[in-house]
Amino acid sequence: MPRFPAAPLGRISARIPPIVPGLLTAVFAVGVAFTVHAMVPVLPAMTVAVVLGLLAANLPGTGTWVAGGARSGLDFAGKHLMRAGIVVLGLKVSVMDVLGLGWQALLLITGVVLVSFAGTYGISRMFRLTRDASLLIATGFSICGASAIGAMAAVRRIRHVDTVLPVALVTLCGTLAIGVLPLLLHPLQLTPEVFGAWTGASVHDVGQVVATAQTAGTGALAIAVVVKLTRVILLAPIVAAAGVHQRTVISRDARNGAALNGTVENGAGLSRTGGGVAGDPDTDGAELRLPPVVPLFVIGFVAMVGLRSTGWLSPGWLESAAAVQDLLLGTALFGLGSAVRVQTLLHTGARALLAALAAWLLIALLGLGAAVLIVRPY
């Protein structure tokens, strides 16, 4: 029987794209996250995915793997699969459902988003966080959590590594809402409808909204989802406004002959000096180009909102799209969570944590006031 020479192990490894090990790790983790969610429905799968990423990064056995062989794929998931998930997220939003709330409710929800955005940014700056970190935290808290952070980071050309802390904070505070808000339902004497509107207006991630609102019944859940998706649809105009502002600043600095060298803030609340943007390996000269007014994936998000609003897609297609979105965002969130080192977080994130908790309280109060006004006419 003829014998064939075995292929060298190094040659086989070379044929495997470097992102594959990390992607497979993330997919496996998402499977575990959905298993945990099935066993404990109150825990959203997306939140569990972030927590698994945190554990993987900080446990002795797995920390070496996610920092080494899996890192390339996990970074790819955290950046590119996050953007793909944002596109598919648009299929959850129907313009007809949003308009069904009435113009008064739409104005109230828009007001909550804008005031919470400005308030969170101001609070973060009061705690001496950098502009980038403050902007990402404000975006995630006021709109739709990690998805909004990814969109804003893209249009503002913020480094991927600087999104890790804001994502960790928005996940932490959203999880806090799951435990705290239901405890206030009876002491505040809220009807299920008011509680649902409050949840939709103040909780960050869609999955966290569902987990919180369902504790008060189907009536609360129905209005919570619509109010939340109204906040989600504001992602596109706010990101577009940020893109216009970024282009204006870059153009103005170019006209004034602003020097590229100097101190550059990063989203982790630290500063780095010298070298210039052109020499920064993380930016690779991206700041020398004008960013798009709206990133391509946000345009895709708007297109998916339009497609959903036509009513052409059957419930089966929408369920399949929701499963794809969960897979994309779950792998992205695991990838982001796996980049968080607890020691570093405790060292550099104490002020950020205090700022996040203060912002969470602000948004909870704003959302409660809006919920009472939204439901009162009914």
Side-chain angles (χ1 to χ4, degrees):
M1 185 174 181
R3 299 179 63 185
F4 298 97
L9 182 60
R11 187 179 302 174
I12 295 176
S13 300
R15 295 174 185 171
I16 301 175
I19 65 171
V20 170
L23 288 177
L24 291 177
T25 301
V27 169
F28 174 77
V30 171
V32 175
F34 277 107
T35 302
V36 172
H37 172 65
M39 297 171 62
V40 188
V42 73
L43 294 177
M46 301 300 102
T47 299
V48 176
V50 177
V51 172
L52 289 175
L54 285 166
L55 291 174
N58 293 278
L59 292 177
T62 55
T64 304
W65 169 246
V66 299
R71 191 68 259 158
S72 177
L74 294 174
D75 286 341
F76 179 89
K79 182 176 181 179
H80 298 288
L81 297 189
M82 172 66 76
R83 297 179 181 186
I86 292 171
V87 173
V88 184
L89 176 63
L91 289 175
K92 285 191 172 181
V93 185
S94 169
V95 174
M96 296 300 104
D97 291 340
V98 170
L99 294 178
L101 288 173
W103 68 269
Q104 290 179 322
L106 294 179
L107 289 177
L108 283 168
I109 296 168
T110 302
V112 167
V113 169
L114 294 178
V115 174
S116 61
F117 183 94
T120 300
Y121 184 85
I123 289 171
S124 299
R125 293 298 287 162
M126 284 175 56
F127 279 88
R128 294 181 295 145
L129 302 185
T130 64
R131 289 185 176 87
D132 283 351
S134 301
L135 179 64
L136 294 181
I137 292 171
T139 305
F141 274 55
S142 62
I143 305 176
C144 56
S147 302
I149 290 172
M152 184 61 75
V155 77
R156 297 289 299 207
R157 297 277 170 82
I158 297 172
R159 300 182 307 164
H160 169 66
V161 68
D162 296 331
T163 66
V164 171
L165 178 60
V167 168
L169 293 173
V170 81
T171 302
L172 172 64
C173 291
T175 305
L176 184 64
I178 297 173
V180 172
L181 263 60
L183 298 177
L184 300 176
L185 175 61
H186 296 298
L188 295 178
Q189 298 182 344
L190 302 178
T191 65
E193 290 75 18
V194 171
F195 179 77
W198 182 26
T199 301
S202 58
V203 180
H204 313 316
D205 179 77
V206 176
Q208 294 165 346
V209 167
V210 171
T212 307
Q214 69 184 2
T215 60
T218 56
L221 180 59
I223 190 170
V225 170
V226 177
V227 171
K228 176 58 189 177
L229 293 180
T230 304
R231 290 168 61 199
V232 171
I233 208 172
L234 294 172
L235 174 65
I238 288 180
V239 167
V244 170
H245 179 265
Q246 182 79 339
R247 291 172 66 93
T248 302
V249 169
I250 293 175
S251 299
R252 183 188 63 205
D253 289 347
R255 287 196 303 268
N256 294 339
L260 290 177
N261 291 330
T263 299
V264 182
E265 289 183 343
N266 67 33
L270 307 174
S271 297
R272 48 193 173 92
T273 306
V277 175
D280 188 338
D282 289 309
T283 57
D284 196 22
E287 280 78 2
L288 298 177
R289 302 189 303 271
L290 287 177
V293 175
V294 180
L296 186 60
F297 67 91
V298 176
I299 296 175
F301 166 81
V302 174
M304 292 299 102
V305 172
L307 179 60
R308 168 65 187 270
S309 301
T310 62
W312 294 343
L313 298 178
S314 67
W317 279 103
L318 294 177
E319 290 177 6
S320 298
V324 171
Q325 181 225 315
D326 286 343
L327 177 62
L328 291 171
L329 291 183
T331 53
L333 290 173
F334 177 81
L336 290 171
S338 68
V340 177
R341 297 295 182 271
V342 171
Q343 286 185 337
T344 304
L345 184 63
L346 294 176
H347 239 289
T348 64
R351 284 182 284 112
L353 177 59
L354 292 175
L357 292 174
W360 178 78
L361 181 60
L362 169 67
I363 296 172
L365 293 174
L366 290 171
L368 179 59
V372 172
L373 294 174
I374 289 171
V375 177
R376 186 175 58 183
Y378 302 101

